[in-house]
Amino acid sequence: MTTPDPDGLLAEQLLRLTRRVHRIQKRHLEHRDLGITPAQSRLLRTLAHWGSPPRMADLAERLEVVPRAVTTLVDGLEASGKVRRVPDPANRRVTRIELTDDGRDALRELRAARRSAAEEILEPLTEDQREALGGLLDALVDGAPARPC
């Protein structure tokens, strides 16, 4: 008879939660009928945090993907009018990516979808439990000690 592995059980719970979060967010995205994949959504959110239009290589680095993956994402978003390629004013060999007005509108819808998905996921928790979960997640994400509950 083997003894239970508490860390293994926690890891399994985290994986199941991650899959559930992904499913729920995807459903909320599809419900809004934006025609944007989760990967494209992530690229749009990343673009929104830049002060000026980034290069494709900058996006690839920030997203931790290969440049070719960014090209594919940008191609799809450009075709739907959410982003556009613009020349770099200082170096004509460089292309930068910027959000369009349609892209900003899509971001507002994406944020609303994420909020409604979060509400659904967190609904079973009390405010105290949510606060405790936030501290625990900070500790896991950042490697920082957990805040006292």
Side-chain angles (χ1 to χ4, degrees):
M1 185 158 114
T2 60
T3 57
D5 173 15
D7 289 342
L9 293 173
L10 282 173
E12 181 59 31
Q13 286 177 301
L14 286 171
L15 290 173
R16 288 177 40 221
L17 177 60
T18 300
R19 287 192 293 270
R20 181 169 184 256
V21 167
H22 181 75
R23 274 192 320 274
I24 289 171
Q25 285 184 340
K26 186 176 178 184
R27 180 170 36 84
H28 281 260
L29 273 177
E30 289 169 352
H31 177 70
R32 291 180 183 270
D33 198 28
L34 295 172
I36 296 174
T37 67
Q40 289 173 329
S41 168
R42 186 169 173 235
L43 187 136
L44 287 174
R45 289 192 320 271
T46 301
L47 264 177
H49 288 93
W50 244 285
S52 61
R55 299 173 309 139
M56 300 268 257
D58 298 329
L59 284 169
E61 184 178 328
R62 178 77 56 92
L63 294 170
E64 298 178 344
V65 298
V66 296
R68 178 71 191 126
V70 171
T71 300
T72 301
L73 293 172
V74 168
D75 287 348
L77 289 168
E78 187 175 38
S80 67
K82 308 284 188 289
V83 302
R84 70 177 145 251
R85 289 173 166 92
V86 294
D88 184 303
N91 183 347
R92 65 186 181 119
R93 294 175 295 160
V94 174
T95 300
R96 296 189 174 269
I97 308 303
E98 70 179 9
L99 282 170
T100 62
D101 289 341
D102 283 350
R104 284 189 241 335
D105 291 344
L107 267 173
R108 279 190 285 281
E109 286 292 317
L110 290 168
R111 287 182 184 119
R114 288 171 63 90
R115 265 193 312 280
S116 63
E119 288 169 7
E120 179 180 337
I121 292 163
L122 297 172
E123 193 273 328
L125 302 179
T126 66
E127 276 305 310
D128 287 344
Q129 289 172 322
R130 290 175 189 208
E131 188 174 324
L133 177 62
L136 294 169
L137 290 173
D138 283 344
L140 291 174
V141 170
D142 302 333
R147 296 186 302 237
C149 296

